[in-house]
Amino acid sequence: QSHSTDMLADKEINTLKDRLRSERHAFDNKTKRLAEQLEEVRSENRALQSSIETLQSTVKQKDSNVATLKTELETVQNDNTVLGKDRRKMLMLEQKQSVNENELREKQLQIARYDEELRAVKSDLSAKELDLATQKGMLGRTIIGSYSWSLKLRS
């Protein structure tokens, strides 16, 4: 009967070992998937950061263009004052001023669109960072749970 008890104990030990191997394999697969997902999120974050930097650079360039247009507009306005007696020149300058004002309005609208796009990208980046933090937390709980399970099996 002792031999029969030993065989049952060995069978139970082997079953537990198989179960532990299976759990370890599942844990390793889940860890690998989470690591791949984490790398995907990091890659997306890098791409988003690059997009943000590009948009910021574009906004700076547009700001510079707006400043140039404002300077040109002031120049045209000054020219209008100085050349007020010459009607033909004045008409041409008013036309140039009108074009500059239209361009300025277009640039201001374009800057507003860039600002909106930048806010959307920042919002998306924040959501990705939150998702990444959540995944890190889940990975930590999984590792702790697996370690705890392993400790229970040892004792």
Side-chain angles (χ1 to χ4, degrees), residues 36 38-54 121 125 128-129 132:
E36 288 169 355
L38 180 62
E39 185 51 39
E40 286 176 21
V41 168
R42 284 182 178 153
S43 178
E44 289 175 12
N45 282 350
R46 285 190 294 271
L48 287 171
Q49 186 61 38
S50 176
S51 294
I52 287 170
E53 289 168 3
T54 300
V121 167
L125 180 59
K128 296 282 185 190
E129 289 172 343
L132 178 60

Side-chain angles (χ1 to χ4, degrees), residues 49 51-61 118 122:
Q49 186 61 38
S51 294
I52 287 170
E53 289 168 3
T54 300
L55 286 172
Q56 288 171 336
S57 174
T58 302
V59 166
K60 284 181 185 176
Q61 180 60 44
L118 184 58
K122 285 181 179 179

Side-chain angles (χ1 to χ4, degrees), residues 73 75-99:
L73 182 60
T75 301
V76 168
Q77 289 169 339
N78 288 338
D79 289 348
N80 280 344
T81 302
V82 171
L83 302 173
K85 294 178 182 175
D86 188 345
R87 182 71 180 140
R88 185 169 177 216
K89 286 183 181 179
M90 188 190 304
L91 289 174
M92 288 174 29
L93 290 173
E94 286 172 354
Q95 187 177 14
K96 182 179 178 185
Q97 179 180 352
S98 176
V99 169

Side-chain angles (χ1 to χ4, degrees), residues 3-65:
H3 179 64
S4 173
T5 304
D6 288 345
M7 285 180 55
L8 282 173
D10 287 345
K11 185 175 180 181
E12 188 176 337
I13 289 170
N14 287 336
T15 299
L16 288 173
K17 283 181 180 178
D18 287 344
R19 197 163 135 209
L20 178 60
R21 273 193 289 278
S22 175
E23 289 286 332
R24 260 197 201 137
H25 183 68
F27 173 75
D28 289 345
N29 285 340
K30 186 170 185 175
T31 302
K32 183 179 176 184
R33 279 193 311 273
L34 287 172
E36 288 169 355
Q37 290 173 349
L38 180 62
E39 185 51 39
E40 286 176 21
V41 168
R42 284 182 178 153
S43 178
E44 289 175 12
N45 282 350
R46 285 190 294 271
L48 287 171
Q49 186 61 38
S50 176
S51 294
I52 287 170
E53 289 168 3
T54 300
L55 286 172
Q56 288 171 336
S57 174
T58 302
V59 166
K60 284 181 185 176
Q61 180 60 44
K62 299 304 176 190
D63 285 345
S64 173
N65 291 349

